[in-house]
Amino acid sequence: MRSAQQILADSAVIAVVGASRDLGKAAHRVPLEMQRHGWRIIPVNPTVDELFGEKAYPTLADIPHPVDLVDVFRPARDAVDVVRQAVAIGAPAVWLQLGIFSDEARRIAEEAGLDYVEDRCLIVERAAAGLTRTSGPTAD
C-alpha cells in the first residue's frame, strides 16, 4: 500500500468526483490548486459540461481514458458507490477528502487491491511533500 504522498507522486491524472463550479467550495479550490501544480484534473459532476478548462463527465465510467487517482468530494454515504465505480474503471487509487470516512469504502478498495486514503486533503499532502508536476515555478 502506497503512502498518500507516494500516490500523488505517482499520479498524473486525477478524476475529481463532486468537483464544484462554486469558487467558495473546497471541491473547486482543491482541484484547481492541484491543476496549477501540474496534475490533469478530470471533473466528475453530472450538472456541468466543463470545469477547470476540462470536459466534465457525469460518472467515472464516462471518462474515456484511464485515471491514476479518484478523488472524492462527496458525503461519506456516497463514498461506497464511488469506490465501486473506481474499482470498475480500474483506477489504482481512491482518495476521500478531509472529513470523509467510510469503513465499507475502505474494505471494498482494499479487497480490490486499490490504494486508499481517507480524511486527508490533496493540497495539504502535496505541499507537505513539496510535490509538483510542473517544470516551472510553483505558486507556493
Side-chain angles (χ1 to χ4, degrees):
M1 185 89 121
R2 296 177 293 169
S3 70
Q5 292 176 353
Q6 188 61 52
I7 291 167
L8 284 181
D10 293 347
S11 298
V13 179
I14 303 172
V16 181
V17 178
S20 177
R21 65 180 138 206
D22 182 339
L23 292 107
K25 289 188 172 183
H28 182 90
R29 293 188 316 269
V30 170
L32 187 60
E33 179 71 10
M34 294 303 289
Q35 186 182 59
R36 287 179 180 148
H37 284 277
W39 280 266
R40 182 171 182 206
I41 301 299
I42 307 300
V44 179
N45 181 326
T47 67
V48 298
D49 294 326
E50 183 180 303
L51 273 173
F52 320 115
E54 290 275 357
K55 178 176 173 37
Y57 296 91
T59 69
L60 289 172
D62 294 312
I63 300 172
H65 51 76
V67 299
D68 302 311
L69 174 60
V70 173
D71 182 37
V72 182
F73 276 100
R74 298 291 305 144
R77 69 182 173 273
D78 296 343
V80 172
D81 187 49
V82 173
V83 171
R84 284 190 180 114
Q85 291 176 41
V87 170
I89 68 164
V94 175
W95 187 300
L96 276 55
Q97 280 294 138
L98 202 58
I100 307 171
F101 303 86
S102 173
D103 290 339
E104 188 178 357
R106 175 183 290 278
R107 180 188 57 74
I108 292 165
E110 289 176 350
E111 286 177 2
L114 275 66
D115 290 316
Y116 181 87
V117 176
E118 65 182 10
D119 190 34
R120 308 270 287 271
C121 181
L122 288 177
I123 61 175
V124 170
E125 295 300 324
R126 186 215 61 77
L131 294 171
T132 187
R133 297 198 66 84
T134 58
S135 57
T138 63
D140 287 342

